[in-house]
Amino acid sequence: MSDGAVGGGSGGALGGGLLVAGTTSDAGKSVVTAGICRWLVRQGVKVAPFKAQNMSLNSFVTREGAEIGRAQAMQAAAARVEPSALMNPVLLKPGSDRSSQVVLLGKPVGELSARGYHAGRQEQLLGTVTDCLQELRRTHDAVICEGAGSPAEINLRRTDIVNMGIARAARIPVVVVGDIDRGGVFASFFGTTALLSKEDQALVAGYLVNKFRGDVTLLEPGLEMLRGLTGRQTLGVLPFSHGLGIDEEDGMGVPPARTKSRAWGRVSLRGAVRESTVEPPHGAEVLRVAVCAVPLMSNFTDVDALAAEPGVVVRFVDRAEELTDADLVVLPGTRGTVRALAWLRERGLADAIARRAAEGRPVLGICGGYQMLGERIEDDVESKAGVVDGLGLLPVRVRFAVEKTLARPAGEALGEPVEGYEIHHGVAEVTGGDEVFMSDGSGQGLDGCRAGSVWGTHWHGSLESDGFRRAFLRRVAADAGRAFVPAPDTRFGVLREEQLDRLGDLIEEHADTDALLRLIEEGVPTALPFIPPGAP
């Protein structure tokens, strides 16, 4: 980095900055941001990720007990820095298609409708997010920011704090990513730029093509024409590659054609689990895992560690018959426990899970899934439904507290060390069970419950602990009657590092890194042309 950009770590001049925007949601902003972070840190640059505002049901808890988007936690891992609330000051957790819980600097501050948020609250937060970005730039050589959706959402521009709003406030250059696999990438680049105001266009420094298949020389004439039309160069063409998604942001839903309602979640099935191929089993048989794709599903990334095991087949399901051949059924977390419980009953999944439990076939509930497996739920906070019967498969009673539990616990389970993180309003009272699940190592219970082949825990991320995951899968295989043996050398943390390195390789090998570095060091280029018509 140049002398002008360095100095953040010593408390001097602000470090460099760059905003990665996208022509659409899922254009590849998250992975490009992570890739740039990994490329920079390998060059010896002290770098941090940043996303001013994130809408996500996949979240993470930092060591100081702050809740942030899981994508920013993975980007921090790419940058080899500890995640912080500064990296995602505003997190919106949808509770319906009209309202979200607002998490500010890692702590929930209330529920707001979309109209209420965009009508004034969002604008008020610009100073907060700008301060967070400035603090990161003071302590790092570079900060790579991620936008949200598209910067050309002209209906939201006045209150924007995550795309051109933060870029204008911090005076940082913008690179726009487009997914060519969807088609129309040239029109998307041109249209995105042309719909921005003159002041916003002045910050758009170039484009990145994502997910290109084939001979790049066939694309080059179009890139030259785009440069002629916009005065901006394309800074790289990233090839299509399977299994490179980092932890996704959006709440995942089952396909709309198979739901009674489309209101509760946009389909998002493109993470590493969904794209990866299953390696041959270490033992004689595979192990089949069915994850119930409940409404407002949160932290479905919990099952990534299962899918990383050779011979473990993970799929997301929404029909009772799809549980028939499953060796393990997982009820994942959800932002709407009572709503998800009703959904399970409507679809016959609740009865199918109860039959499994009666037959001694394994079921695992995580966070909201754990709560649903209990006897009773008292909820005057999330759904305000009052007392609701659970599935009755675990001797647990749940009461929703106003204060959210945010923690990074560690302990022991099945004789192995285990770590996780907690994000929940529900407080579980365990009244029985066969054995302590998560303990402190001396037999004192910390969390969770087991009754027969039914297991439950509030701890997200526990399956990433390699020894515990293998021990748990051995128990599942025994209960399911499968000749499945976990591989002894699968190390989830190592696999994740390898994936982040692959993202860094994509940037290093297929992007114009000299041009990216100039933008980060020197800031916004001068005399970028205006493309009519501009924002109305």
Side-chain angles (χ1 to χ4, degrees):
M1 304 289 286
S2 69
D3 291 340
V6 174
S10 62
L14 291 180
L18 181 71
L19 176 72
V20 179
T23 57
T24 63
S25 293
D26 276 348
K29 298 182 293 292
S30 294
V31 295
V32 168
T33 300
I36 293 175
C37 285
R38 177 50 59 101
W39 162 65
L40 283 172
V41 78
R42 293 194 307 208
Q43 311 308 308
V45 177
K46 187 178 182 183
V47 59
F50 177 80
K51 185 160 185 172
Q53 172 196 292
N54 197 348
M55 178 171 282
S56 178
L57 287 170
N58 283 340
S59 58
F60 183 76
V61 179
T62 67
R63 295 207 178 276
E64 66 266 25
E67 184 179 8
I68 66 172
R70 225 184 129 81
Q72 278 62 65
M74 289 301 98
Q75 289 164 352
R80 295 177 180 151
V81 294
E82 190 66 31
S84 160
L86 293 173
M87 298 173 184
N88 180 205
V90 181
L91 173 63
L92 305 178
K93 303 194 73 175
S96 71
D97 57 343
R98 292 180 178 269
S99 67
S100 295
Q101 182 181 67
V102 180
V103 179
L104 179 62
L105 294 175
K107 303 297 180 184
V109 294
E111 296 274 340
L112 273 180
S113 68
R115 180 178 293 275
Y117 183 68
H118 289 289
R121 178 60 168 162
Q122 188 178 30
E123 265 186 304
Q124 297 168 11
L125 294 173
L126 180 59
T128 299
V129 301
T130 302
D131 288 347
C132 290
L133 176 56
Q134 295 291 83
E135 179 61 25
L136 287 174
R137 293 180 71 185
R138 276 192 289 269
T139 54
H140 295 79
D141 298 331
V143 179
I144 308 303
C145 309
E146 179 187 345
S150 162
E153 290 167 350
I154 55 178
N155 56 315
L156 302 177
R157 175 62 185 92
R158 182 181 64 81
T159 58
D160 169 52
I161 64 172
V162 66
N163 289 305
M164 304 312 297
I166 190 67
R168 285 265 293 274
R171 196 64 193 167
I172 55 176
V174 178
V175 173
V176 181
V177 178
D179 181 354
I180 198 170
D181 201 46
R182 297 182 176 197
V185 73
F186 295 117
S188 296
F189 283 143
F190 183 87
T192 296
T193 310
L195 273 178
L196 300 178
S197 68
K198 183 176 182 179
E199 295 78 9
D200 285 351
Q201 284 192 28
L203 302 179
V204 176
Y207 310 111
L208 267 172
V209 176
N210 192 28
K211 295 186 181 177
F212 180 73
R213 307 173 192 247
D215 184 352
V216 73
T217 60
L218 299 177
L219 193 65
E220 287 171 353
L223 301 180
E224 283 302 313
M225 293 172 67
L226 181 67
R227 184 168 187 172
L229 289 166
T230 67
R232 292 156 175 87
Q233 71 178 104
T234 298
L235 303 173
V237 178
L238 309 182
F240 186 96
S241 183
H242 284 282
L244 283 183
I246 64 172
D247 291 3
E248 298 178 62
E249 294 183 351
D250 299 293
M252 189 175 78
V254 293
R258 292 169 58 181
T259 61
K260 294 180 180 178
S261 169
R262 299 180 61 173
W264 54 262
R266 186 171 60 79
V267 178
S268 182
L269 296 169
R270 293 178 41 240
V273 170
R274 274 64 68 189
E275 293 183 353
S276 62
T277 56
V278 178
E279 294 184 24
H282 187 71
E285 293 184 295
V286 300
L287 200 70
R288 295 176 175 85
V289 178
V291 184
C292 294
V294 297
L296 297 173
M297 180 161 41
S298 61
N299 287 69
F300 57 85
T301 48
D302 283 332
V303 300
D304 285 2
L306 294 179
E309 285 284 349
V312 175
V313 182
V314 176
R315 66 182 188 271
F316 291 85
V317 304
D318 66 329
R319 293 176 174 174
E321 57 268 29
E322 293 177 296
L323 304 186
T324 305
D325 67 343
D327 302 306
L328 170 66
V329 169
V330 176
L331 286 179
T334 172
R335 173 81 165 84
T337 301
V338 170
R339 181 178 179 179
L341 190 55
W343 182 86
L344 291 174
R345 288 178 168 134
E346 288 171 3
R347 291 179 165 266
L349 286 159
D351 289 339
I353 292 169
R355 287 193 297 271
R356 289 183 61 89
E359 296 165 359
R361 302 173 67 197
V363 177
L364 171 65
I366 303 174
C367 199
Y370 170 36
Q371 297 165 5
M372 287 187 275
L373 291 171
E375 298 169 344
R376 187 182 73 185
I377 298 170
E378 183 181 341
D379 181 11
D380 295 318
V381 175
E382 189 175 78
S383 68
K384 297 180 172 59
V387 177
V388 177
D389 288 336
L391 297 178
L393 302 180
L394 287 175
V396 175
R397 297 176 180 178
V398 176
R399 177 185 56 82
F400 274 64
V402 174
E403 293 296 319
K404 181 186 284 191
T405 297
L406 296 170
R408 287 277 294 271
E412 182 180 286
L414 301 180
E416 297 286 348
V418 60
E419 296 181 358
Y421 55 100
E422 295 184 69
I423 308 169
H424 55 92
H425 284 278
V427 179
E429 177 191 359
V430 180
T431 60
D434 294 332
E435 67 182 55
V436 172
F437 195 178
M438 306 295 181
S439 74
D440 63 0
S442 63
Q444 181 65 38
L446 296 176
D447 177 76
C449 180
R450 181 181 75 84
S453 60
V454 181
W455 307 72
T457 177
H458 274 127
W459 291 16
H460 293 292
S462 59
L463 293 167
E464 295 178 17
S465 298
D466 297 328
F468 165 67
R469 182 181 64 253
R470 286 192 280 268
F472 177 69
L473 289 176
R474 283 192 290 269
R475 292 285 289 268
V476 168
D479 287 347
R482 288 285 184 190
F484 170 84
V485 179
D489 55 354
T490 302
R491 298 170 62 193
F492 186 72
V494 171
L495 294 175
R496 175 175 283 158
E497 274 295 299
E498 291 174 352
Q499 184 185 42
L500 294 173
D501 272 331
R502 289 175 64 198
L503 293 178
D505 292 343
L506 274 183
I507 298 300
E508 186 169 347
E509 296 169 9
H510 300 283
D512 185 341
T513 53
D514 288 340
L516 288 175
L517 201 57
R518 281 195 300 273
L519 290 175
I520 295 167
E521 289 183 335
E522 300 171 10
V524 181
T526 58
L528 289 169
F530 171 69
I531 311 301

